[in-house]
Amino acid sequence: MPSLWSSAAWPVEPPLFVVVLVAALYWSGGRRRVSVRRGVARPAKNVSFYLGLLAILVALDSPLDPLADTLFAAHMAQHVLLLTVAPALIVLAAPWTQIWQPLPLGLRRTVAKAIVVHPRARPLRATAHALGQPVVAWVLFNVNMLLWHLPALYDLTLRSQAVHELEHALFFFTGLLFWAQVFDSVPFRARLSWLWRAAYTTPGM
């Protein structure tokens, strides 16, 4: 096991660059929003968003990552951060519009037209609609978590870095889908009533 202060304990992985890019876009979008509205930025949601990004870095770019290869408790802590802590904080922050706004206008128009209007994007829209269904999100979240802990797949993640990164990406993505059913995340709204949201997050449901 590498020393806490050795370079091996603080890996520089692709998620670090993604987090930095997303944080920069969010910060830029926040400055633009304050400039246009002449108001104060939404501090609670900002804190939630940056804490969510920090949870990703702790999981993937800190001593917890190499420790997870040898210590099962660290492995599970890493997965809790990626499945529940980081996605829940980011969904609560509802950062989608603020990240989207700093992108070039031409790019935003092209992407929006391709996704919303173009006939060839119908399968993509249908898939997005299906993924937004509470039952689908719940099944994907739980099945994904269980599959990666089957002995064969668990051992495969220890042998292949690419598979390990795929596992982490799917944990985070299904975590976003799951928590988007629990918390409103403008412009998206959770489709469950408050009673069903409580049941939805109860273990064993």
Side-chain angles (χ1 to χ4, degrees), residues 29-42:
R31 284 178 56 87
R32 181 172 301 185
R33 174 176 295 187
V34 171
S35 175
V36 171
R37 298 187 181 183
R38 296 181 181 179
V40 178
R42 43 182 200 164

Side-chain angles (χ1 to χ4, degrees), residues 45-56:
K45 291 189 178 295
N46 290 343
V47 170
S48 180
F49 179 72
Y50 288 120
L51 284 177
L53 294 186
L54 179 61
I56 295 174

Side-chain angles (χ1 to χ4, degrees), residues 9-28:
W10 296 90
V12 178
E13 301 287 351
L16 174 62
F17 303 106
V18 175
V19 166
V20 169
L21 174 61
V22 171
L25 288 172
Y26 183 82
W27 176 81
S28 178

Side-chain angles (χ1 to χ4, degrees), residues 35-205:
S35 175
V36 171
R37 298 187 181 183
R38 296 181 181 179
V40 178
R42 43 182 200 164
K45 291 189 178 295
N46 290 343
V47 170
S48 180
F49 179 72
Y50 288 120
L51 284 177
L53 294 186
L54 179 61
I56 295 174
L57 293 181
V58 170
L60 301 178
D61 287 277
S62 80
L64 183 63
D65 188 44
L67 189 61
D69 292 337
T70 57
L71 187 63
F72 186 72
H75 178 87
M76 295 309 298
Q78 186 181 52
H79 290 180
V80 168
L81 287 171
L82 293 173
L83 280 164
T84 61
V85 179
L89 287 169
I90 290 174
V91 168
L92 274 171
W96 322 114
T97 301
Q98 194 161 315
I99 292 173
W100 176 252
Q101 284 179 338
L103 297 174
L105 180 59
L107 175 63
R108 284 185 281 153
R109 286 177 173 171
T110 300
V111 172
K113 183 177 180 180
I115 294 176
V116 177
V117 179
H118 204 288
R120 291 184 180 178
R122 286 176 183 169
L124 179 62
R125 292 193 292 269
T127 301
H129 178 75
L131 292 175
Q133 300 299 315
V135 172
V136 174
W138 189 92
V139 169
L140 287 175
F141 178 86
N142 286 281
V143 170
N144 179 63
M145 178 173 55
L146 291 173
L147 283 177
W148 286 109
H149 289 94
L150 293 175
L153 284 178
Y154 179 82
D155 292 342
L156 182 59
T157 63
L158 298 179
R159 297 194 304 268
S160 170
Q161 183 62 27
V163 174
H164 202 182
E165 291 175 358
L166 174 63
E167 175 195 33
H168 291 160
L170 289 175
F171 278 164
F172 180 69
F173 176 69
T174 57
L176 288 177
L177 292 177
F178 180 90
W179 292 106
Q181 312 305 320
V182 180
F183 305 119
D184 292 332
S185 191
V186 181
F188 309 105
R189 298 190 64 84
R191 300 183 181 185
L192 299 173
S193 67
W194 284 105
L195 181 61
W196 275 108
R197 293 184 202 190
Y200 189 82
T201 55
T202 302
M205 291 299 295

